[in-house]
Amino acid sequence: MAELEYNPKELMVVNAARLLRDYDVVFVGVGIPNLACNLARRTHAQNLQMIYEAGVIGAQPSRLPLSIGDPSLVTGSTSVCSMYDVFTLYLQRGNVDVGFLGGAQIDQFGNINATVIGDYQNPKVRLPGSGGSMEIAAWANRCYIITPHQKRRFPARVDFQTSIGFLEGGDARKRTGVRGGGPEAVVTNLGVMRPDENGELILTAMHPGVTFEQAAENTGWPLKLAAGCAITEPPTAEELRILREDLDPQRIYI
Amino acid sequence: MAELEYNPKELMVVNAARLLRDYDVVFVGVGIPNLACNLARRTHAQNLQMIYEAGVIGAQPSRLPLSIGDPSLVTGSTSVCSMYDVFTLYLQRGNVDVGFLGGAQIDQFGNINATVIGDYQNPKVRLPGSGGSMEIAAWANRCYIITPHQKRRFPARVDFQTSIGFLEGGDARKRTGVRGGGPEAVVTNLGVMRPDENGELILTAMHPGVTFEQAAENTGWPLKLAAGCAITEPPTAEELRILREDLDPQRIYI
Amino acid sequence: MNSKLTSLSDAIHQYVHDGDLVYASGFTHLIPFAAGHEIIRQGLRDLVLARATPDLLYDQMVAAGCARKVIFSYMGNPGVGSLRRIREALEAGELEWEEYSHFSMISRLQAGASGLPFMPMKQTGATDLESQNPNFRRVADPYTGEEVVVVPPLIPDVAIVHVQRADVNGNAQVWGILGEQRLAAFAARKVILTVEEIVDEAVIRSDPNRTLIPGLVVDAVCHVPYCAHPSYTQGYHDRDNDFYLAWDEISKTEESVQAYLEEWVYGLPDRAAYWEKLGPEVHKRLQAGQRLSEPVNYGDY
Amino acid sequence: MNSKLTSLSDAIHQYVHDGDLVYASGFTHLIPFAAGHEIIRQGLRDLVLARATPDLLYDQMVAAGCARKVIFSYMGNPGVGSLRRIREALEAGELEWEEYSHFSMISRLQAGASGLPFMPMKQTGATDLESQNPNFRRVADPYTGEEVVVVPPLIPDVAIVHVQRADVNGNAQVWGILGEQRLAAFAARKVILTVEEIVDEAVIRSDPNRTLIPGLVVDAVCHVPYCAHPSYTQGYHDRDNDFYLAWDEISKTEESVQAYLEEWVYGLPDRAAYWEKLGPEVHKRLQAGQRLSEPVNYGDY
C-alpha cells in the first residue's frame, strides 16, 4: 500500500481526535478543535457531546463556522443557554470532561499566555486575552492543546499566565484547589507532549519520520524524552477522507 | 341616594386598591391582594403590573386562581421566569414597587410572624413559614398588609420575626441597610394604620361608622390616634360592581 | 446515544436509597406525585425530603413514614391552609426540619447547580430564622465592608424532575412556571426525569432555547403521563384544585390519610392505574384546552 | 400602557451622554451595530465601552474617537484575528482598559442584574490578571475557609440590546445565542431596545416563557431591522462573515477606517439607508431561510 500524503494540520487534527473518548463532554472552539471533535464523532466517539462557550449544546452545524457564535451552530442544536449558565451550570459545576486550549505561548509546565507579550501595562503585543480559557483550563476534567511546534510558542516561562497548566510544577496546581486535572496532552505537528509526574511537558510520542532532535530544537526548554516514547500511527485513509470530503471540503482549516 | 351595603372584606379590598398607584410594579399573592390589584387596574391604575413569586409577570387570568402557581396565570401572561430569577432580577434588584404581606401576627412596629406561635424549636403552632415574605418585606419599595383587626393578630411584639417592619422602631430598620421603605399601611376592617415617624403603627383612618375605641380594643398595644385621623370614603357603586360582577362573581374571597 | 428510557419503578429502585436527600422539584407546577407514590410503595425510609413548598406530596410521604427530615421554605397547602401531617409531626417533635425563605432555599440550589461553595444574598433585616439555622452565615462584602448573608450549596443525592417533553436521551423542554426545575437537575448527583410526552429528537432540536435540562445531566428517563396530578402540567392537564381542598379534609386524621394511601398508592401498581381510577369525569374536568405558542424561525443556515 | 416606540436617533440622544458607561450587548449574535453607528454620528465622547467581546463595533467606535476606555474579556475579531484599532490604541497607551475573563465579566453583569454587591467564582489558579485588576477581590468561604474570587456588579449607565421581536412596551423575545442580553438589560440604569420586528402584544403573550426582557426595565423601543449587520439576527439574516474578513483589511490603516466610517456611517442617515446601500447581492447572501420551532401548548385555562 502506498503511503498516504497528509499535511501537518491534518496530522494534528487526527491525533487530537484520537485523544477524545466516547461520551466525552467537550468544551470546544472553532477551527482545529472543532474538526477534531467532529472527526472523533465520526470514528470512535459517536456519543461525544460538544459545548460551545456561546452556550450551544449538541450543535449539528451544516457548515464550518467562522466563529463560535455562528447561527449554524444554533439551528438544530439540542440546547442553547445564556453565557452565565454555560460557565456556571456546565463548566464550574464540573459537567465538562474536555477543554481545548490555545495561546501565543505555552510553557514548560503547560501554562498558557493569550494576553500579552511584554509588560502587561505597557504591552509590546497586545493579544486577545482570556475569553473562556482561564476557567476552562481550571475546571474541565482534562485539557488538550493543539499548536504548531515552534520555539517562540514554547518558551520556558510564559510572559503572562492567562490560564494555568501546572504553574511552577510539582503539586503547585493541586494546591490551588482547582477541580480539573490540567493539560493532559499537547499535540503538535512533530508529536505529542504530556506532563510528567512533576507537571513538566515531555515528549511522549513522535509522528512518523520526526526525530527527537527536531522536537528539542523547536522547544524553548530542555525537552526530555519520555521512556518508551512512541511513534504515532499515521492518519488512516478513512480519517483523511472524512476530514477532506465531509468536514472541511473547502480546506479552510486543513 | 341610599347607602350602599358592603362587607368587611369588600371594604378592605377597596381601601387596599386605592393605595396602589398607576405604573406600580406589584409583587402579589392570591386572594385579597390579587383582588385589590385587579380592582386598581380597572379603576385608577390601568398600568399597574403584577408579578407573582412563581415567576409570572403580566398575568391576565381568566379565573380566580386558588394558588399563586395556577396555570391560568401563565397562559396569556407577558413573561415567565424561574424562581431564582424573580427573586434576583426583579425583587433584589429593586424592580418591585409594592409588596403585599400577611401573617398570623403583626406587631406595633409592623414586624410580621408567619413562622411559629411559641418557641421555634418546640412549636405550639407551626405556621407555614416565610415563603417569599422575608425578602419582599425587605426589598420592595413599600409594603401593604391587609388583615382583619383582631387583638390576637396585633400583639405588641411578634413571637418570631419572619419578615421585618421597623424592628424595634426608630432608625433600626434603616440601620440594617435593607433597600425598601417598609410597611406603609395596614388595612383592616376597622381602618388604616400607618407608621409614625418612629415606625410605630398608629391609626390614621377609620372606616365610616367605626370608633377609635373599637380599633384600640382590638389592638394589642396602646394604639395611638393620628392627628387628623381621617374617615375613609366608602366603596363606590362602581368599585363594588367590578368586585362582585367581574372579579369574584363566585364570592370566593369576598 | 443510548436511550435512558426506563420504568419509573426501576428508576426509583436504582437511584433512590434509604437515607438519601431527595429533591422532587416543581413550584406548584409539575410536582412529580407519581414518583413520590412509587417511593412510598417501595417503602423507602429515612429520606431527607427537600422542596421549597413541600406541598401535598411530602405531606403524603411523611405520613407514609418515608422521611427523617424535611427541608423547606413554605410549608403550606397553597391557597388552602396547612400541611397537616407534616405540621403535626413537627409539633410533636417527630420530624427533623431545616427551614429557609424561598430565596435562600433557591439560592442553595443555585449554588449547588453552579458549583459554588456559597451564594450571597442581600440582608433582609430578619435575623430570627438566621439564628435558628446555622447554615446561614455572613460574609463581609470586600468592596464596602457591609455584610451579606450566604447559604451553602444544596446537592441532592437525587432530583426528580417532571417535564412536558423530552427525547429518550433526556433533553427536556419545560414551559409555564419554571420554579427550580433546572437548578434541581444541575445541582443533584443523580437525576430522574419523568416525562409527560416522549418526543423525537427532531422536536427538541426544532427549538433548542426551550431545552432547559440537557440529557448529559439526566440518568433515567421515565415516560409517566399525568405524573403531576393533583398538581398540573401546563398545556397537558389542569391543576386539581378540588383535590387540594379535599386533602385538607383527608389529612385531618391519621386514619383517613392511611385509607387514602391504601386506596390510591399501595393499592395501585402505577400511575396509569391511578389515572384510570380517577375516572372520566375528573379527566374531563382537568382538560387543558389549546393555546399554542406562535412559532419562531431559527433560520436554515 | 403607553408605547415606548421612538426613533433610534432620539433614543441615543436622550439616553446616551458623554462619559457614560455603555454596554452594547450580544455575544457574536445580535450586536447592535446600528446603535453604535448612531453614537458615532452623534459625536459622543469619553464613553466607557463595555462588552465581553468588543467585536468590530467597538473597534469602529474607538476609531471614531467615542471612547475613553474599554472593558472586555476577549478582544479579537472572532475566527479572524485582532481588533486592530483597539489593539493599536492600547499598545500606544492611548486608551484605558479593564480586563476580565468571560466568566468574571459576565459574573459582574450577573451581580449587577441581581442587585448583589459581588458575585463569587471558584478559583482558577491564574492570578496574573487578578493582580492587574483591583476589581478582583477574595473572600473566604465561611464553610470551608477556602478562598473564592469575587467581582463587583457592573451597572452600565445604558445598555443597548437588540432582540428579534418585542411589543411596543418593550416585552422582548430572544432566541438563538443568548449571550448576556438579559443580564445587560437588568443590570443597566437605562435600556434602549432595538427590535428586528415589532409584534402585537398577543404574539408575546402566546409564549411568555420566551420573553427574556420585560418592558418594565426598558426605556426606549426602537424598530431597527438589520440592526445587527455585519453580525446577525438568528432567523432574520445571516452573519456576514465576508465583512468580518474584510474588516481585517480595512482596519489595517487609520485612513481606510476613516474612509469606511465616512462612507458607511457619517455618510448615511440611518440603518435603512445602510441596508439599502449593501445592495441586493448582499441581501440575498445573508438570507436566513426557514426552520420553525415546533409550537408548544400553554393550555386554555
Side-chain angles (χ1 to χ4, degrees):
Chain A
M1 195 173 97
E3 273 187 36
L4 293 162
E5 299 270 334
Y6 48 80
N7 68 36
K9 284 184 176 171
E10 290 170 332
L11 188 62
M12 289 195 286
V13 172
V14 166
N15 276 280
R18 292 172 183 170
L19 297 170
L20 297 169
R21 304 168 196 163
D22 207 6
Y23 291 98
D24 269 345
V25 176
V26 186
F27 214 83
V28 67
V30 290
I32 301 275
N34 187 55
L35 290 175
C37 288
N38 277 298
L39 179 56
R41 279 171 62 96
R42 303 284 191 102
T43 53
H44 65 286
Q46 286 183 295
N47 300 294
L48 182 142
Q49 297 191 69
M50 291 158 74
I51 299 183
Y52 290 85
E53 72 183 10
V56 180
I57 289 97
Q60 294 184 328
S62 59
R63 66 187 188 201
L64 265 182
L66 179 67
S67 98
I68 52 165
D70 198 80
S72 66
L73 295 171
V74 169
T75 300
S77 67
T78 307
S79 182
V80 178
C81 66
S82 75
M83 247 175 122
Y84 187 72
D85 285 351
V86 84
F87 277 97
T88 50
L89 304 180
Y90 289 89
L91 190 56
Q92 191 173 244
R93 179 68 179 96
N95 283 317
V96 173
D97 295 307
V98 175
F100 278 101
L101 298 169
Q105 299 180 324
I106 297 109
D107 74 15
Q108 187 170 4
F109 294 102
N111 305 300
I112 294 179
N113 175 16
T115 303
V116 69
I117 304 295
D119 177 58
Y120 181 79
Q121 292 296 342
N122 296 289
K124 190 174 151 204
V125 181
R126 176 61 230 201
L127 303 165
S130 164
S133 66
M134 186 186 291
E135 286 81 18
I136 297 168
W139 302 336
N141 291 343
R142 51 192 217 274
C143 288
Y144 298 121
I145 298 161
I146 312 172
T147 191
H149 212 129
Q150 299 165 349
K151 201 159 189 162
R152 67 180 178 88
R153 289 180 186 267
F154 289 120
R157 302 304 294 264
V158 289
D159 290 11
F160 190 97
Q161 288 184 349
T162 306
S163 61
I164 70 162
F166 299 97
L167 291 164
E168 65 273 18
D171 65 349
R173 180 186 173 97
K174 205 168 182 181
R175 276 186 282 114
T176 65
V178 299
R179 67 172 301 286
E184 202 174 273
V186 181
V187 177
T188 79
N189 54 317
L190 300 181
V192 179
M193 294 190 286
R194 289 178 181 268
D196 68 8
E197 70 287 351
N198 192 40
E200 179 179 333
L201 294 175
I202 65 172
L203 195 70
T204 58
M206 288 180 276
H207 297 314
V210 173
T211 66
F212 172 64
E213 287 66 32
Q214 264 180 286
E217 276 166 21
N218 287 287
T219 305
W221 62 86
L223 183 65
K224 292 177 187 163
L225 185 66
C229 178
I231 308 295
T232 64
E233 287 293 319
T236 67
E238 178 64 3
E239 286 168 331
L240 292 172
R241 190 198 61 73
I242 294 170
L243 262 184
R244 294 169 184 175
E245 292 177 21
D246 297 347
L247 299 180
D248 191 4
Q250 294 179 277
R251 297 303 189 92
I252 296 172
Y253 297 106
I254 57 175
Chain B
M1 196 172 99
E3 272 188 38
L4 292 161
E5 300 269 333
Y6 47 81
N7 69 35
K9 284 185 176 171
E10 290 170 332
L11 188 63
M12 290 195 284
V13 172
V14 166
N15 276 280
R18 292 172 184 171
L19 297 169
L20 298 169
R21 305 169 194 163
D22 206 9
Y23 291 98
D24 269 345
V25 176
V26 186
F27 215 82
V28 66
V30 290
I32 300 275
N34 187 56
L35 289 175
C37 288
N38 278 298
L39 179 57
R41 279 171 62 96
R42 302 282 192 104
T43 52
H44 64 286
Q46 286 185 295
N47 300 294
L48 181 144
Q49 296 190 67
M50 291 159 74
I51 299 183
Y52 290 84
E53 73 183 11
V56 180
I57 289 97
Q60 294 184 326
S62 58
R63 66 187 187 200
L64 265 183
L66 178 68
S67 99
I68 51 165
D70 198 81
S72 66
L73 295 172
V74 168
T75 300
S77 67
T78 308
S79 182
V80 178
C81 67
S82 74
M83 247 175 120
Y84 187 73
D85 285 350
V86 85
F87 277 97
T88 51
L89 303 181
Y90 290 89
L91 190 56
Q92 191 173 243
R93 179 68 179 95
N95 284 316
V96 173
D97 295 306
V98 176
F100 278 101
L101 297 169
Q105 299 178 326
I106 296 109
D107 73 16
Q108 187 170 5
F109 294 102
N111 305 299
I112 294 180
N113 176 16
T115 302
V116 70
I117 304 294
D119 177 59
Y120 181 78
Q121 292 297 340
N122 296 289
K124 190 174 150 205
V125 182
R126 176 62 228 201
L127 303 165
S130 165
S133 65
M134 186 186 290
E135 286 81 18
I136 296 168
W139 303 336
N141 292 343
R142 52 192 217 273
C143 287
Y144 298 121
I145 298 162
I146 312 172
T147 190
H149 213 129
Q150 298 166 350
K151 201 160 190 162
R152 65 179 179 90
R153 289 180 187 266
F154 289 121
R157 302 306 295 263
V158 290
D159 290 11
F160 190 97
Q161 288 184 349
T162 306
S163 58
I164 69 161
F166 298 97
L167 291 163
E168 65 274 17
D171 65 350
R173 181 186 173 99
K174 205 167 184 183
R175 276 188 281 114
T176 66
V178 299
R179 67 173 300 288
E184 203 174 273
V186 181
V187 177
T188 78
N189 54 316
L190 300 182
V192 179
M193 293 189 287
R194 290 180 181 269
D196 68 7
E197 69 289 350
N198 191 41
E200 181 180 331
L201 294 176
I202 65 171
L203 195 69
T204 58
M206 288 179 277
H207 297 315
V210 173
T211 65
F212 172 64
E213 287 65 34
Q214 264 181 286
E217 276 166 21
N218 287 288
T219 304
W221 63 87
L223 184 66
K224 294 177 189 162
L225 184 67
C229 180
I231 307 294
T232 64
E233 288 293 320
T236 66
E238 177 64 3
E239 285 168 332
L240 292 172
R241 191 197 62 74
I242 294 171
L243 263 184
R244 293 169 184 177
E245 291 179 20
D246 297 348
L247 299 179
D248 192 4
Q250 294 180 277
R251 299 300 189 94
I252 296 172
Y253 298 105
I254 56 175
Chain C
M1 196 73 61
N2 295 327
S3 164
K4 291 169 184 163
L5 268 183
T6 180
S7 72
L8 180 57
S9 85
D10 284 354
I12 298 293
H13 186 74
Q14 184 168 2
Y15 293 111
V16 187
H17 306 100
D18 288 348
D20 274 359
L21 196 166
V22 176
Y23 201 111
S25 72
F27 188 81
T28 317
H29 183 209
L30 298 169
I31 305 176
F33 275 84
H37 288 185
E38 184 58 30
I39 286 173
I40 293 173
R41 270 193 292 268
Q42 293 194 15
L44 285 152
R45 287 292 176 269
D46 295 323
L47 300 178
V48 177
L49 296 178
R51 268 180 62 80
T53 57
D55 206 89
L56 273 46
L57 179 58
Y58 282 6
D59 216 29
Q60 294 173 1
M61 292 172 77
V62 165
C66 300
R68 168 175 76 77
K69 178 177 177 178
V70 287
I71 303 178
F72 68 92
S73 48
Y74 180 84
M75 199 261 296
N77 178 343
V80 179
S82 285
L83 293 177
R84 297 178 184 278
R85 303 328 301 158
I86 295 179
R87 178 177 157 181
E88 280 196 17
L90 293 182
E91 288 174 359
E94 291 164 355
L95 183 66
E96 297 173 55
W97 80 92
E98 190 179 307
E99 184 172 3
Y100 297 89
S101 65
H102 275 346
F103 185 47
S104 46
M105 180 85 178
I106 301 300
S107 289
R108 287 201 62 189
L109 280 180
Q110 174 75 13
S114 300
L116 280 171
F118 65 85
M119 273 304 294
M121 302 170 293
K122 275 191 178 165
Q123 285 189 48
T124 64
T127 53
D128 280 358
L129 188 60
E130 193 179 336
S131 70
Q132 293 289 350
N133 181 345
N135 269 341
F136 287 101
R137 302 276 170 90
R138 292 194 169 212
V139 158
D141 167 13
Y143 303 97
T144 65
E146 279 175 30
E147 284 188 341
V148 297
V149 178
V150 305
V151 285
L154 180 64
I155 314 264
D157 292 307
V158 57
I160 306 171
V161 184
H162 188 58
V163 301
Q164 277 112 332
R165 68 186 187 193
D167 63 26
V168 296
N169 303 311
N171 295 299
Q173 301 191 331
V174 189
W175 56 97
I177 288 171
L178 302 176
E180 77 293 62
Q181 300 297 94
R182 190 168 187 222
L183 295 183
F186 276 97
R189 294 194 176 89
K190 297 287 176 187
V191 175
I192 297 173
L193 202 70
T194 59
V195 183
E196 195 71 25
E197 188 180 5
I198 299 284
V199 295
D200 192 90
E201 197 180 309
V203 172
I204 300 297
R205 289 186 184 273
S206 82
D207 197 358
N209 285 99
R210 186 98 63 193
T211 310
L212 298 189
I213 300 170
L216 65 89
V217 301
V218 172
D219 296 279
V221 176
C222 308
H223 184 211
V224 190
Y226 310 109
C227 178
H229 180 272
S231 87
Y232 71 101
T233 297
Q234 187 91 33
Y236 289 82
H237 67 84
D238 201 351
R239 190 168 190 266
D240 193 346
N241 287 329
D242 289 358
F243 186 81
Y244 274 82
L245 292 163
W247 182 253
D248 197 47
E249 288 301 314
I250 296 169
S251 62
K252 275 184 177 157
T253 71
E254 182 65 24
E255 292 66 36
S256 54
V257 167
Q258 293 307 326
Y260 173 83
L261 293 176
E262 201 52 59
E263 182 176 357
W264 288 92
V265 181
Y266 298 115
L268 296 173
D270 58 18
R271 178 79 357 180
Y274 171 101
W275 184 252
E276 195 190 331
K277 184 174 162 67
L278 283 173
E281 277 180 38
V282 173
H283 299 174
K284 193 177 170 201
R285 178 164 55 80
L286 300 179
Q287 276 178 355
Q290 186 159 300
R291 284 279 291 275
L292 295 181
S293 62
E294 292 280 335
V296 300
N297 183 21
Y298 277 89
D300 189 16
Y301 297 98
Chain D
M1 196 72 64
N2 295 327
S3 164
K4 292 169 184 162
L5 267 183
T6 180
S7 72
L8 181 57
S9 85
D10 284 354
I12 297 293
H13 185 73
Q14 183 168 2
Y15 293 111
V16 188
H17 307 100
D18 288 347
D20 273 359
L21 197 166
V22 176
Y23 201 110
S25 72
F27 188 81
T28 316
H29 182 208
L30 299 169
I31 304 176
F33 274 85
H37 287 185
E38 184 58 29
I39 286 173
I40 293 174
R41 269 194 293 268
Q42 294 194 13
L44 285 151
R45 289 291 176 270
D46 296 322
L47 300 177
V48 177
L49 297 177
R51 271 181 60 79
T53 58
D55 205 90
L56 273 48
L57 179 58
Y58 282 7
D59 217 27
Q60 294 172 1
M61 292 171 77
V62 165
C66 300
R68 168 175 76 77
K69 179 178 177 178
V70 288
I71 304 178
F72 68 91
S73 49
Y74 180 85
M75 198 262 296
N77 178 342
V80 177
S82 286
L83 293 176
R84 296 177 186 279
R85 303 329 300 160
I86 295 179
R87 178 177 157 181
E88 280 194 20
L90 293 181
E91 288 173 0
E94 292 164 354
L95 184 65
E96 296 172 58
W97 80 92
E98 190 180 306
E99 185 173 3
Y100 297 89
S101 64
H102 275 346
F103 185 48
S104 45
M105 179 85 177
I106 302 300
S107 290
R108 288 202 62 189
L109 281 179
Q110 174 75 15
S114 300
L116 280 170
F118 64 85
M119 273 302 295
M121 302 171 292
K122 275 191 177 166
Q123 285 189 48
T124 64
T127 54
D128 281 358
L129 188 59
E130 193 180 336
S131 69
Q132 294 288 350
N133 182 344
N135 268 341
F136 287 102
R137 302 275 171 91
R138 291 195 169 212
V139 157
D141 167 12
Y143 304 97
T144 66
E146 279 176 30
E147 285 187 341
V148 297
V149 179
V150 305
V151 285
L154 182 62
I155 314 262
D157 293 305
V158 55
I160 306 170
V161 183
H162 188 58
V163 303
Q164 277 112 331
R165 68 186 187 193
D167 63 26
V168 296
N169 302 311
N171 295 299
Q173 302 193 329
V174 189
W175 57 96
I177 288 171
L178 303 177
E180 75 293 63
Q181 300 298 95
R182 190 168 188 225
L183 295 183
F186 276 96
R189 293 193 177 87
K190 296 288 176 187
V191 175
I192 298 173
L193 202 69
T194 60
V195 183
E196 195 70 24
E197 188 180 4
I198 300 284
V199 295
D200 191 89
E201 198 181 309
V203 173
I204 301 297
R205 290 186 183 272
S206 83
D207 196 358
N209 284 101
R210 187 95 66 193
T211 309
L212 299 189
I213 299 170
L216 65 91
V217 301
V218 172
D219 295 279
V221 176
C222 308
H223 184 211
V224 190
Y226 311 109
C227 176
H229 180 272
S231 86
Y232 70 101
T233 297
Q234 187 90 35
Y236 290 82
H237 67 84
D238 202 352
R239 190 169 191 265
D240 193 346
N241 287 328
D242 290 358
F243 186 80
Y244 274 82
L245 292 164
W247 182 254
D248 198 47
E249 288 301 313
I250 296 168
S251 62
K252 274 182 178 159
T253 72
E254 183 66 24
E255 292 67 34
S256 54
V257 167
Q258 293 307 327
Y260 173 83
L261 293 176
E262 202 52 59
E263 181 175 358
W264 290 91
V265 182
Y266 299 114
L268 296 174
D270 59 17
R271 178 78 358 178
Y274 171 101
W275 184 251
E276 194 189 333
K277 184 173 161 69
L278 282 172
E281 277 180 39
V282 174
H283 299 174
K284 193 176 170 200
R285 178 163 57 78
L286 300 181
Q287 276 177 354
Q290 186 158 301
R291 286 278 291 277
L292 296 180
S293 62
E294 292 279 337
V296 301
N297 183 21
Y298 277 88
D300 188 16
Y301 296 99

